[in-house]
Amino acid sequence: MHTESGVIRVMFLGPLPSFGLDYYEVMAIKTVLEIFVDANWIGKVGIIVESSSKVVLNWIMKPSKTLCCW
């Protein structure tokens, strides 16, 4: 998670079992969204989610249809 100017605010580190990169990208985005909501930033600041993964982008657009197995 970083600011508009590129300053890193949050990093996700730790050992990971082998579920695939898309899974971890979705989980990182989910965590950032939870932080965003918990910090009460909705309506106060914007959030941009970037990804080059079609799986992840599909989840963002239609979460109920693409994460059935996660």
Side-chain angles (χ1 to χ4, degrees), residues 22-57:
D22 289 332
Y23 173 83
Y24 294 110
E25 190 166 340
V26 167
M27 291 300 106
I29 292 168
K30 179 181 177 287
T31 301
V32 167
L33 292 174
E34 289 170 350
I35 292 168
F36 193 80
V37 170
D38 289 346
N40 200 28
W41 290 338
I42 295 175
K44 297 176 183 171
V45 296
I47 187 169
I48 297 171
V49 176
E50 297 177 357
S51 177
S52 59
S53 166
K54 286 185 180 185
V55 171
V56 173
L57 294 174

Side-chain angles (χ1 to χ4, degrees), residues 1-37:
M1 207 172 150
H2 61 83
T3 64
E4 281 185 43
S5 61
V7 176
I8 295 174
R9 294 292 185 192
V10 178
M11 291 180 68
F12 303 95
L13 303 170
L16 302 172
S18 181
F19 290 130
L21 295 177
D22 289 332
Y23 173 83
Y24 294 110
E25 190 166 340
V26 167
M27 291 300 106
I29 292 168
K30 179 181 177 287
T31 301
V32 167
L33 292 174
E34 289 170 350
I35 292 168
F36 193 80
V37 170

